[in-house]
Amino acid sequence: MWPWIRKPLRWLSQRQCVLISKVHVQQLHSSSSEFTDTCYNGLYPGHIPTTPIQRALLAVGSGVAALRDPYRHDMVAVLGETTGHLAMINLRDRMRNDPEGYTILTERPRIRLSTLDLSKMASLPDGSFGREYLRFLEDNHVTPDSRADVKFVDNEELAYVMQRYREVHDLLHTLLGMPTNMLGEVAVKWFEAAQTGLPMCALGAALGPLRLNASRLQSLFTSLGPWALQNGRRARCVLSIFYERRWEQNLEDLRQELNIEPPPVILSASNKRST
């Protein structure tokens, strides 16, 4: 990071953290009288209501923090929630208009370790979607439980859409054959930007390449990037797939069903933070 912008970025990040703290305090003060077993403020557990000014400040602060460190998943999450309202509406409507997507909106499945039968997934044959997803988790040392719960979306159904997007992110890595190193993450962000229209994804797609070295930039711009954008635009809505009922399906068959081509380059899962 350039020296002349370090102090402003640090100041903005600190201000953003102070704002989040104030919002949490507001939630705690009001929750004693308004919280119920099933919802907060008539929306969902954990919801933190914000004013337009607060949402704008949260968006700016989280964007700065995410720019400084793309692996700050908490800041990336806040950025997505505070800037993605229109995109979430579009994704929700696409899910409603898809029979499988409508079922997901109705049943509200969650992808957590507590909902996954890892033993059964490990027994599936190589090449099956469930076995390859489990292999992705093991090779990249990640867990579905790392996805934060939505807090700042002021609509219960849209909050679930955002939660579903977060929880299928690792499934997209599996579908696209991308590891969690920086090049793999940027390629997935290019796909997601084209597929979802979320500003957070577009920002990650635009700024992610700045953290790549020359050889990885060449790979991104000449092969992985065009492939990710093309497949993101033409693929079926990836939130409308009930993945929990597809573990036994062959990965290549699922890709064909979603109109996703195999990756043009095979990336290693090693060196997660390499640039």
Side-chain angles (χ1 to χ4, degrees):
M1 186 68 66
W2 299 283
W4 60 273
I5 64 172
R6 283 178 180 167
K7 288 185 178 180
L9 288 180
R10 189 179 299 114
W11 180 83
L12 283 171
S13 183
Q14 291 171 347
R15 297 279 292 183
Q16 187 267 347
C17 291
V18 170
L19 175 63
I20 290 181
S21 298
K22 289 182 178 179
V23 173
H24 276 283
V25 169
Q26 177 188 0
Q27 180 201 26
L28 291 174
H29 279 302
S30 59
S31 62
S32 59
S33 60
E34 299 182 48
F35 185 81
T36 68
D37 290 338
T38 58
C39 64
Y40 172 78
N41 249 9
L43 294 180
Y44 53 90
H47 173 240
I48 301 176
T50 54
T51 67
I53 293 177
Q54 287 175 321
R55 282 194 296 275
L57 291 173
L58 283 169
V60 172
S62 59
V64 170
L67 174 61
R68 293 181 63 196
D69 183 3
Y71 288 97
R72 282 291 304 273
H73 299 301
D74 54 341
M75 296 295 98
V76 174
V78 174
L79 180 64
E81 294 176 31
T82 54
T83 62
H85 182 71
L86 294 179
M88 284 185 278
I89 291 175
N90 180 57
L91 289 169
R92 187 270 314 275
D93 291 346
R94 292 171 67 184
M95 294 178 72
R96 283 180 174 178
N97 293 326
D98 184 289
E100 195 169 358
Y102 184 81
T103 301
I104 293 170
L105 285 175
T106 302
E107 298 187 12
R108 306 289 176 88
R110 298 292 302 273
I111 301 175
R112 299 286 191 181
L113 286 178
S114 60
T115 66
L116 299 177
D117 188 340
L118 298 183
S119 297
K120 181 178 180 180
M121 294 171 71
S123 69
L124 294 173
D126 290 342
S128 64
F129 179 57
R131 185 65 189 88
E132 297 308 316
Y133 171 58
L134 182 60
R135 194 190 315 279
F136 164 84
L137 296 178
E138 295 170 343
D139 290 349
N140 293 276
H141 309 289
V142 296
T143 168
D145 288 353
S146 64
R147 302 300 167 186
D149 290 334
V150 173
K151 295 179 176 66
F152 298 108
V153 177
D154 293 331
N155 177 285
E156 187 272 338
E157 191 173 41
L158 296 183
Y160 176 75
V161 171
M162 175 58 74
Q163 191 70 48
R164 185 66 176 177
Y165 157 74
R166 287 180 186 168
E167 294 181 4
V168 304
H169 176 78
D170 289 339
L171 300 177
L172 293 185
H173 274 275
T174 304
L175 283 169
L176 299 174
M178 292 292 108
T180 57
N181 58 29
M182 183 57 69
L183 180 55
E185 290 288 358
V186 173
V188 172
K189 275 292 175 282
W190 282 37
F191 176 94
E192 290 179 338
Q195 165 79 196
T196 69
L198 286 165
M200 168 195 66
C201 298
L203 182 64
L207 299 180
L210 299 178
R211 303 178 67 90
L212 299 176
N213 61 28
S215 64
R216 289 182 172 88
L217 272 177
Q218 182 178 10
S219 178
L220 178 68
F221 288 130
T222 60
S223 59
L224 285 176
W227 162 80
L229 289 175
Q230 181 183 42
N231 282 272
R233 292 191 191 102
R234 72 183 187 184
R236 179 181 169 187
C237 179
V238 294
L239 300 189
S240 294
I241 306 301
F242 214 133
Y243 296 102
E244 297 88 331
R245 299 175 180 176
R246 304 295 194 103
W247 299 133
E248 298 180 4
Q249 186 172 355
N250 181 272
L251 176 59
E252 294 303 323
D253 291 344
L254 183 56
R255 283 174 174 166
Q256 291 181 12
E257 180 181 338
L258 297 179
N259 206 18
I260 295 176
E261 296 179 346
V265 177
I266 304 300
L267 301 182
S268 170
S270 62
N271 300 322
K272 177 180 177 181
R273 287 180 179 258
S274 66
T275 59

